Amino acid sequence: MHDRKRGSQRRALTSPWKYALATWLAGVLAAIGLGAVSPAGPALRSSLGLSGGALAWATSSITAVSAVLGIPAGWWVRRFGAQRALPWGLLVMAVAAAVSATAGSWGLLLGSRIAEGVGYLLVFVAGPVVLTGMTQGAVRSAALALWGTCVPTGLAIAAATGGALASWWTWHQWLALTALGPLIMAGVLTTVLPRLPRTAVPCAHREAGTWNGALRLGVAYGSLSLVGVAVVMVLPPFLTEHRQATPAVTGTVVAVVCLGSAVGGLVASWLLRRGAALASLVPLGALMPVACLPAFSAELPLVISGGAATLVLVVDGLLISAVFAAVPASVSRPEHLDVANGILNQLGGVGILMGPPVFGLVIAAAGWGAVAAATLVFGGLGAVLLLTTARTSGTGSPSGVSRSPDAQDGVGMREGPEPIGKAADASNPDSRRP
């Protein structure tokens, strides 16, 4: 029995990416649920007699849950345990998606989507905490940056798969299909994630400044999310009304632009895995308002405008991934990570909800050229806050957690007060934080 446990822990220590990728896949499947209603929108409106506003509520209700309950969810995950909350969140999403597939009214559809939003929130609060506990050093930064690609990757898969199946399947079948992935993944994570002892988690100290770093990152995440979703939402009307692009061309351009965010996250993960400092990524944010100028210009060829819009989302996705990588450095104690991720999700949800109306008002008041100015304001705010946190938090390692020079990247999941990233050999004085 003891040999089996030692063998399991030894395998865990040598293959952190196995568990990191499984956790990342859970986030992608949750994001597919986030985008599941959009490709089925026309069929839902016809079948249930929904107005455009009612459909919009069903589409955005998951994000609204995060905007309202992100911080309470962080406290709950902290008490329940992130490793348990992650598969439970997937299970809640699977059950809610199955219910939405049988909905015969707008009320039942909206209620099931709100319930799905609760599961989605649990996944996105617990997922980064699980990744932080299973990894160290550069691997931790890279894994958390990779987590930042979950949403754009999941939304792209939902749009492509749902669109392809729209002419063959009913919306009932499509929504039922989106329930299968989270259900299967909940079982996989319960089986695959290493079972390490849990220790009692004491009440977190609430001294002044405890959440300053997390709040800065939360505002940064909200600002960057606001820019990303706003650019994607205002681009289609610009292309159809001012570029006279066909719906097919518009859809293709928007799909490529959306994938740019995932590409940016992958680039951030690659750079951080190779030891790049978080602060070195932030100056790239200056490219976003500059790229907005050709992106929303009717005078340039469409391929240039589309490429510039894609660049905006690439940089936006890169900075969002850097935000997730900076979270461990923003808190003084490991048991604060759950709440810190709750703060990120709540303020990120607020940014996503505010993005389209804020940019819409700016465009109505000052024209399409003002998109660059709005991007400069909100993107600049996010970049400055990220840079401030990256410079004032941490101890020199990419994850902001001190570690022994001879410690290896691996699994170090703990749900108690012991500092994350502490070397296994407690007798080594060099492995302890000062």
Side-chain angles (χ1 to χ4, degrees), residues 325-386:
V327 172
S330 71
V331 295
S332 58
R333 298 166 61 90
E335 60 266 25
H336 293 168
L337 285 169
D338 312 83
V339 180
N341 281 290
I343 292 171
L344 247 68
N345 279 274
Q346 183 151 349
L347 296 180
V350 171
I352 290 172
L353 291 175
M354 288 178 55
V358 167
F359 270 56
L361 290 173
V362 170
I363 293 169
W368 290 99
V371 171
T375 301
L376 175 62
V377 171
F378 291 102
L381 174 62
V384 168
L385 290 174
L386 173 59

Side-chain angles (χ1 to χ4, degrees), residues 72-248:
W75 286 112
W76 185 85
V77 168
R78 179 177 175 270
R79 294 180 179 275
F80 188 68
Q83 193 176 1
R84 289 194 294 166
L86 182 58
W88 270 103
L90 291 169
L91 183 60
V92 170
M93 290 197 71
V95 172
V99 172
S100 67
T102 65
S105 65
W106 179 74
L108 183 57
L109 177 65
L110 181 63
S112 62
R113 289 288 288 177
I114 291 174
E116 195 170 356
V118 173
Y120 174 88
L121 180 57
L122 292 180
V123 171
F124 274 84
V125 171
V129 181
V130 172
L131 287 174
T132 302
M134 291 188 301
T135 54
Q136 292 181 351
V139 170
R140 175 181 294 162
S141 295
L144 289 171
L146 183 64
W147 179 262
T149 69
C150 287
V151 172
T153 302
L155 292 179
I157 293 174
T161 306
L165 295 176
S167 58
W168 300 91
W169 287 20
T170 67
W171 65 267
H172 302 277
Q173 294 171 318
W174 161 241
L175 293 182
L177 177 64
T178 64
L180 287 179
L183 180 62
I184 295 171
M185 199 63 203
V188 169
L189 290 178
T190 302
T191 304
V192 169
L193 290 183
R195 301 281 184 173
L196 298 180
R198 296 184 69 228
T199 58
V201 179
C203 293
H205 297 290
R206 297 182 179 88
E207 65 271 10
T210 296
W211 306 112
N212 285 352
L215 286 170
R216 284 196 299 269
L217 286 180
V219 176
Y221 182 41
S223 299
L224 294 168
S225 297
L226 185 153
V227 170
V229 71
V231 168
V232 170
M233 293 300 291
V234 302
L235 186 60
F238 172 78
L239 293 176
T240 56
E241 296 171 13
H242 294 270
R243 302 299 302 260
Q244 286 73 50
T246 64

Side-chain angles (χ1 to χ4, degrees), residues 136 403-409 423-425 428 430-431:
Q136 292 181 351
R403 52 186 305 211
S404 172
D406 58 349
Q408 295 180 356
D409 292 331
D425 184 6
N428 180 4
D430 292 334
S431 68

Side-chain angles (χ1 to χ4, degrees), residues 24 27-32 34-35 120 124 145-160 221 225 228 232 254-266 313-314 316-318 320-321 324 352:
W24 173 81
V28 171
L29 291 171
I32 290 174
L34 174 65
Y120 174 88
F124 274 84
L146 183 64
W147 179 262
T149 69
C150 287
V151 172
T153 302
L155 292 179
I157 293 174
Y221 182 41
S225 297
V232 170
V254 172
V256 172
V257 170
C258 289
L259 285 175
S261 182
V263 172
L266 291 174
L313 267 293
V314 168
D316 189 70
L318 183 146
I320 285 176
S321 290
F324 280 102
I352 290 172

